[in-house]
Amino acid sequence: MLTKAQAKYIQNLGHKKLRDDENVFVAEGPKLVLELLQSHTVQLHSLYADEAFIRSHPEIKYHVEVSAPELERISFLTTPNQVLAIFQKPVFNQQNNLKGKISIMLDKVQDPGNVGSIVRIADWFAIETIICSKDSADVFNPKVVQSTMGSIARVNVLYENLDDFISKNDLPGIYATTLDGKSVYEMEKITEGIIVTGNESNGISDKILQIAREQITIPRVGKAESLNAAVATGIIVSRLLA
């Protein structure tokens, strides 16, 4: 049975400050929760599930059984789905050495769905690191976590002041995605570099554009004004990776 204190705590995890203070995040739904339970980079903090989920997974020893109304009360989803779990944030053993690798940088990408999808894209292409500006959407926002579909446990997402990060680190070439850059279809494959995706409305900041090795684009054939940030990132990564 869910207590009032437990319900309040979970609801308050919708706020970034508490997630940061507690070093935890929320995941929901059987597929996502079970995948995270098998991960080596995250540890279970607590789990709240309905009778059907608990009966189907007797191996999960630590849980609180909740009714449908209780699950609805604590869920961040429009339609709650059997289980909500709180996990410790992932711990990665790797050093953040970007040399010899492809990485992604997000400059003020603020839509949670875009950030989550880009984490999945990075995971699909075995990209280890994403560097986000501090005003990008929080990767541990419940909406972002759901969009990652478990990839949050395998991709190291950093939040940095991008100007400082670039100036203080010996980085490989920066490839900035713009509307007026060189066609990605005309470029050679790359084995290292940082692919930058900008804000959904305003694009990439001038400072980053000025130091980019190359501005790149996906040539427009039809009449759409622009591409979704995550879609564009996926196309460009798939074309540039060697």
Side-chain angles (χ1 to χ4, degrees), residues 135-150:
D135 47 5
S136 292
D138 178 24
V139 73
F140 297 109
N141 177 305
K143 291 181 180 179
V144 179
V145 173
Q146 294 303 122
S147 296
T148 71
M149 291 302 294

mmCIF file with all atom_site columns, all heavy atoms in Angstrom, residues 135-150:
data_model
loop_
_atom_site.group_PDB
_atom_site.id
_atom_site.type_symbol
_atom_site.label_atom_id
_atom_site.label_alt_id
_atom_site.label_comp_id
_atom_site.label_asym_id
_atom_site.label_entity_id
_atom_site.label_seq_id
_atom_site.pdbx_PDB_ins_code
_atom_site.Cartn_x
_atom_site.Cartn_y
_atom_site.Cartn_z
_atom_site.occupancy
_atom_site.B_iso_or_equiv
_atom_site.pdbx_formal_charge
_atom_site.auth_seq_id
_atom_site.auth_comp_id
_atom_site.auth_asym_id
_atom_site.auth_atom_id
_atom_site.pdbx_PDB_model_num
ATOM 1   N N   . ASP A 1 135 ? 21.157 24.679 -20.465 1.00 0.00 ? 135 ASP A N   1
ATOM 2   C CA  . ASP A 1 135 ? 19.757 25.023 -20.669 1.00 0.00 ? 135 ASP A CA  1
ATOM 3   C C   . ASP A 1 135 ? 19.056 24.082 -21.638 1.00 0.00 ? 135 ASP A C   1
ATOM 4   O O   . ASP A 1 135 ? 17.961 24.376 -22.120 1.00 0.00 ? 135 ASP A O   1
ATOM 5   C CB  . ASP A 1 135 ? 19.606 26.482 -21.122 1.00 0.00 ? 135 ASP A CB  1
ATOM 6   C CG  . ASP A 1 135 ? 20.570 26.856 -22.239 1.00 0.00 ? 135 ASP A CG  1
ATOM 7   O OD1 . ASP A 1 135 ? 21.297 25.972 -22.738 1.00 0.00 ? 135 ASP A OD1 1
ATOM 8   O OD2 . ASP A 1 135 ? 20.599 28.049 -22.603 1.00 0.00 ? 135 ASP A OD2 1
ATOM 9   N N   . SER A 1 136 ? 19.672 22.943 -21.930 1.00 0.00 ? 136 SER A N   1
ATOM 10  C CA  . SER A 1 136 ? 18.966 21.881 -22.655 1.00 0.00 ? 136 SER A CA  1
ATOM 11  C C   . SER A 1 136 ? 18.064 21.122 -21.681 1.00 0.00 ? 136 SER A C   1
ATOM 12  O O   . SER A 1 136 ? 18.239 21.206 -20.466 1.00 0.00 ? 136 SER A O   1
ATOM 13  C CB  . SER A 1 136 ? 19.968 20.922 -23.302 1.00 0.00 ? 136 SER A CB  1
ATOM 14  O OG  . SER A 1 136 ? 20.678 21.540 -24.353 1.00 0.00 ? 136 SER A OG  1
ATOM 15  N N   . ALA A 1 137 ? 17.112 20.376 -22.214 1.00 0.00 ? 137 ALA A N   1
ATOM 16  C CA  . ALA A 1 137 ? 16.208 19.604 -21.359 1.00 0.00 ? 137 ALA A CA  1
ATOM 17  C C   . ALA A 1 137 ? 16.995 18.596 -20.529 1.00 0.00 ? 137 ALA A C   1
ATOM 18  O O   . ALA A 1 137 ? 17.956 17.986 -21.006 1.00 0.00 ? 137 ALA A O   1
ATOM 19  C CB  . ALA A 1 137 ? 15.167 18.877 -22.214 1.00 0.00 ? 137 ALA A CB  1
ATOM 20  N N   . ASP A 1 138 ? 16.583 18.437 -19.277 1.00 0.00 ? 138 ASP A N   1
ATOM 21  C CA  . ASP A 1 138 ? 17.248 17.510 -18.354 1.00 0.00 ? 138 ASP A CA  1
ATOM 22  C C   . ASP A 1 138 ? 16.995 16.073 -18.791 1.00 0.00 ? 138 ASP A C   1
ATOM 23  O O   . ASP A 1 138 ? 15.848 15.649 -18.937 1.00 0.00 ? 138 ASP A O   1
ATOM 24  C CB  . ASP A 1 138 ? 16.715 17.744 -16.943 1.00 0.00 ? 138 ASP A CB  1
ATOM 25  C CG  . ASP A 1 138 ? 17.318 16.786 -15.929 1.00 0.00 ? 138 ASP A CG  1
ATOM 26  O OD1 . ASP A 1 138 ? 18.431 16.275 -16.169 1.00 0.00 ? 138 ASP A OD1 1
ATOM 27  O OD2 . ASP A 1 138 ? 16.671 16.545 -14.883 1.00 0.00 ? 138 ASP A OD2 1
ATOM 28  N N   . VAL A 1 139 ? 18.065 15.313 -18.975 1.00 0.00 ? 139 VAL A N   1
ATOM 29  C CA  . VAL A 1 139 ? 17.921 13.935 -19.455 1.00 0.00 ? 139 VAL A CA  1
ATOM 30  C C   . VAL A 1 139 ? 17.175 13.060 -18.450 1.00 0.00 ? 139 VAL A C   1
ATOM 31  O O   . VAL A 1 139 ? 16.638 12.006 -18.815 1.00 0.00 ? 139 VAL A O   1
ATOM 32  C CB  . VAL A 1 139 ? 19.308 13.331 -19.788 1.00 0.00 ? 139 VAL A CB  1
ATOM 33  C CG1 . VAL A 1 139 ? 20.096 13.010 -18.525 1.00 0.00 ? 139 VAL A CG1 1
ATOM 34  C CG2 . VAL A 1 139 ? 19.180 12.105 -20.678 1.00 0.00 ? 139 VAL A CG2 1
ATOM 35  N N   . PHE A 1 140 ? 17.110 13.500 -17.177 1.00 0.00 ? 140 PHE A N   1
ATOM 36  C CA  . PHE A 1 140 ? 16.411 12.721 -16.162 1.00 0.00 ? 140 PHE A CA  1
ATOM 37  C C   . PHE A 1 140 ? 14.982 13.198 -15.919 1.00 0.00 ? 140 PHE A C   1
ATOM 38  O O   . PHE A 1 140 ? 14.312 12.707 -15.014 1.00 0.00 ? 140 PHE A O   1
ATOM 39  C CB  . PHE A 1 140 ? 17.220 12.708 -14.863 1.00 0.00 ? 140 PHE A CB  1
ATOM 40  C CG  . PHE A 1 140 ? 18.560 12.045 -15.032 1.00 0.00 ? 140 PHE A CG  1
ATOM 41  C CD1 . PHE A 1 140 ? 19.727 12.808 -15.020 1.00 0.00 ? 140 PHE A CD1 1
ATOM 42  C CD2 . PHE A 1 140 ? 18.659 10.693 -15.255 1.00 0.00 ? 140 PHE A CD2 1
ATOM 43  C CE1 . PHE A 1 140 ? 20.957 12.205 -15.200 1.00 0.00 ? 140 PHE A CE1 1
ATOM 44  C CE2 . PHE A 1 140 ? 19.885 10.080 -15.438 1.00 0.00 ? 140 PHE A CE2 1
ATOM 45  C CZ  . PHE A 1 140 ? 21.041 10.841 -15.408 1.00 0.00 ? 140 PHE A CZ  1
ATOM 46  N N   . ASN A 1 141 ? 14.528 14.165 -16.711 1.00 0.00 ? 141 ASN A N   1
ATOM 47  C CA  . ASN A 1 141 ? 13.116 14.520 -16.734 1.00 0.00 ? 141 ASN A CA  1
ATOM 48  C C   . ASN A 1 141 ? 12.323 13.254 -17.103 1.00 0.00 ? 141 ASN A C   1
ATOM 49  O O   . ASN A 1 141 ? 12.710 12.528 -18.022 1.00 0.00 ? 141 ASN A O   1
ATOM 50  C CB  . ASN A 1 141 ? 12.910 15.613 -17.790 1.00 0.00 ? 141 ASN A CB  1
ATOM 51  C CG  . ASN A 1 141 ? 11.460 16.014 -17.960 1.00 0.00 ? 141 ASN A CG  1
ATOM 52  O OD1 . ASN A 1 141 ? 10.597 15.189 -18.206 1.00 0.00 ? 141 ASN A OD1 1
ATOM 53  N ND2 . ASN A 1 141 ? 11.195 17.303 -17.889 1.00 0.00 ? 141 ASN A ND2 1
ATOM 54  N N   . PRO A 1 142 ? 11.228 12.932 -16.403 1.00 0.00 ? 142 PRO A N   1
ATOM 55  C CA  . PRO A 1 142 ? 10.497 11.699 -16.714 1.00 0.00 ? 142 PRO A CA  1
ATOM 56  C C   . PRO A 1 142 ? 10.126 11.542 -18.181 1.00 0.00 ? 142 PRO A C   1
ATOM 57  O O   . PRO A 1 142 ? 10.161 10.426 -18.715 1.00 0.00 ? 142 PRO A O   1
ATOM 58  C CB  . PRO A 1 142 ? 9.244  11.810 -15.830 1.00 0.00 ? 142 PRO A CB  1
ATOM 59  C CG  . PRO A 1 142 ? 9.694  12.613 -14.654 1.00 0.00 ? 142 PRO A CG  1
ATOM 60  C CD  . PRO A 1 142 ? 10.665 13.635 -15.220 1.00 0.00 ? 142 PRO A CD  1
ATOM 61  N N   . LYS A 1 143 ? 9.788  12.635 -18.863 1.00 0.00 ? 143 LYS A N   1
ATOM 62  C CA  . LYS A 1 143 ? 9.443  12.541 -20.288 1.00 0.00 ? 143 LYS A CA  1
ATOM 63  C C   . LYS A 1 143 ? 10.656 12.149 -21.124 1.00 0.00 ? 143 LYS A C   1
ATOM 64  O O   . LYS A 1 143 ? 10.541 11.387 -22.086 1.00 0.00 ? 143 LYS A O   1
ATOM 65  C CB  . LYS A 1 143 ? 8.878  13.875 -20.777 1.00 0.00 ? 143 LYS A CB  1
ATOM 66  C CG  . LYS A 1 143 ? 7.516  14.233 -20.210 1.00 0.00 ? 143 LYS A CG  1
ATOM 67  C CD  . LYS A 1 143 ? 7.011  15.557 -20.772 1.00 0.00 ? 143 LYS A CD  1
ATOM 68  C CE  . LYS A 1 143 ? 5.649  15.914 -20.202 1.00 0.00 ? 143 LYS A CE  1
ATOM 69  N NZ  . LYS A 1 143 ? 5.162  17.226 -20.731 1.00 0.00 ? 143 LYS A NZ  1
ATOM 70  N N   . VAL A 1 144 ? 11.827 12.677 -20.774 1.00 0.00 ? 144 VAL A N   1
ATOM 71  C CA  . VAL A 1 144 ? 13.047 12.323 -21.501 1.00 0.00 ? 144 VAL A CA  1
ATOM 72  C C   . VAL A 1 144 ? 13.396 10.864 -21.247 1.00 0.00 ? 144 VAL A C   1
ATOM 73  O O   . VAL A 1 144 ? 13.731 10.116 -22.173 1.00 0.00 ? 144 VAL A O   1
ATOM 74  C CB  . VAL A 1 144 ? 14.218 13.242 -21.106 1.00 0.00 ? 144 VAL A CB  1
ATOM 75  C CG1 . VAL A 1 144 ? 15.483 12.844 -21.861 1.00 0.00 ? 144 VAL A CG1 1
ATOM 76  C CG2 . VAL A 1 144 ? 13.882 14.699 -21.386 1.00 0.00 ? 144 VAL A CG2 1
ATOM 77  N N   . VAL A 1 145 ? 13.320 10.453 -19.993 1.00 0.00 ? 145 VAL A N   1
ATOM 78  C CA  . VAL A 1 145 ? 13.642 9.062  -19.648 1.00 0.00 ? 145 VAL A CA  1
ATOM 79  C C   . VAL A 1 145 ? 12.785 8.105  -20.450 1.00 0.00 ? 145 VAL A C   1
ATOM 80  O O   . VAL A 1 145 ? 13.294 7.120  -21.014 1.00 0.00 ? 145 VAL A O   1
ATOM 81  C CB  . VAL A 1 145 ? 13.440 8.821  -18.128 1.00 0.00 ? 145 VAL A CB  1
ATOM 82  C CG1 . VAL A 1 145 ? 13.599 7.334  -17.803 1.00 0.00 ? 145 VAL A CG1 1
ATOM 83  C CG2 . VAL A 1 145 ? 14.430 9.640  -17.314 1.00 0.00 ? 145 VAL A CG2 1
ATOM 84  N N   . GLN A 1 146 ? 11.482 8.373  -20.548 1.00 0.00 ? 146 GLN A N   1
ATOM 85  C CA  . GLN A 1 146 ? 10.603 7.498  -21.322 1.00 0.00 ? 146 GLN A CA  1
ATOM 86  C C   . GLN A 1 146 ? 11.015 7.456  -22.788 1.00 0.00 ? 146 GLN A C   1
ATOM 87  O O   . GLN A 1 146 ? 10.998 6.400  -23.413 1.00 0.00 ? 146 GLN A O   1
ATOM 88  C CB  . GLN A 1 146 ? 9.152  7.957  -21.195 1.00 0.00 ? 146 GLN A CB  1
ATOM 89  C CG  . GLN A 1 146 ? 8.557  7.840  -19.810 1.00 0.00 ? 146 GLN A CG  1
ATOM 90  C CD  . GLN A 1 146 ? 8.606  6.441  -19.222 1.00 0.00 ? 146 GLN A CD  1
ATOM 91  O OE1 . GLN A 1 146 ? 9.185  6.223  -18.155 1.00 0.00 ? 146 GLN A OE1 1
ATOM 92  N NE2 . GLN A 1 146 ? 8.023  5.489  -19.911 1.00 0.00 ? 146 GLN A NE2 1
ATOM 93  N N   . SER A 1 147 ? 11.419 8.600  -23.329 1.00 0.00 ? 147 SER A N   1
ATOM 94  C CA  . SER A 1 147 ? 11.802 8.663  -24.743 1.00 0.00 ? 147 SER A CA  1
ATOM 95  C C   . SER A 1 147 ? 13.095 7.913  -25.029 1.00 0.00 ? 147 SER A C   1
ATOM 96  O O   . SER A 1 147 ? 13.315 7.452  -26.147 1.00 0.00 ? 147 SER A O   1
ATOM 97  C CB  . SER A 1 147 ? 11.963 10.124 -25.190 1.00 0.00 ? 147 SER A CB  1
ATOM 98  O OG  . SER A 1 147 ? 10.737 10.810 -25.118 1.00 0.00 ? 147 SER A OG  1
ATOM 99  N N   . THR A 1 148 ? 13.962 7.780  -24.020 1.00 0.00 ? 148 THR A N   1
ATOM 100 C CA  . THR A 1 148 ? 15.230 7.074  -24.251 1.00 0.00 ? 148 THR A CA  1
ATOM 101 C C   . THR A 1 148 ? 15.032 5.571  -24.363 1.00 0.00 ? 148 THR A C   1
ATOM 102 O O   . THR A 1 148 ? 15.897 4.873  -24.895 1.00 0.00 ? 148 THR A O   1
ATOM 103 C CB  . THR A 1 148 ? 16.244 7.332  -23.122 1.00 0.00 ? 148 THR A CB  1
ATOM 104 O OG1 . THR A 1 148 ? 15.834 6.652  -21.928 1.00 0.00 ? 148 THR A OG1 1
ATOM 105 C CG2 . THR A 1 148 ? 16.428 8.818  -22.856 1.00 0.00 ? 148 THR A CG2 1
ATOM 106 N N   . MET A 1 149 ? 13.959 5.042  -23.839 1.00 0.00 ? 149 MET A N   1
ATOM 107 C CA  . MET A 1 149 ? 13.649 3.610  -23.883 1.00 0.00 ? 149 MET A CA  1
ATOM 108 C C   . MET A 1 149 ? 14.804 2.744  -23.388 1.00 0.00 ? 149 MET A C   1
ATOM 109 O O   . MET A 1 149 ? 15.127 1.706  -23.958 1.00 0.00 ? 149 MET A O   1
ATOM 110 C CB  . MET A 1 149 ? 13.244 3.208  -25.310 1.00 0.00 ? 149 MET A CB  1
ATOM 111 C CG  . MET A 1 149 ? 11.913 3.772  -25.757 1.00 0.00 ? 149 MET A CG  1
ATOM 112 S SD  . MET A 1 149 ? 10.549 3.275  -24.676 1.00 0.00 ? 149 MET A SD  1
ATOM 113 C CE  . MET A 1 149 ? 10.502 1.504  -24.983 1.00 0.00 ? 149 MET A CE  1
ATOM 114 N N   . GLY A 1 150 ? 15.454 3.174  -22.321 1.00 0.00 ? 150 GLY A N   1
ATOM 115 C CA  . GLY A 1 150 ? 16.517 2.396  -21.709 1.00 0.00 ? 150 GLY A CA  1
ATOM 116 C C   . GLY A 1 150 ? 17.913 2.833  -22.094 1.00 0.00 ? 150 GLY A C   1
ATOM 117 O O   . GLY A 1 150 ? 18.885 2.483  -21.427 1.00 0.00 ? 150 GLY A O   1
#
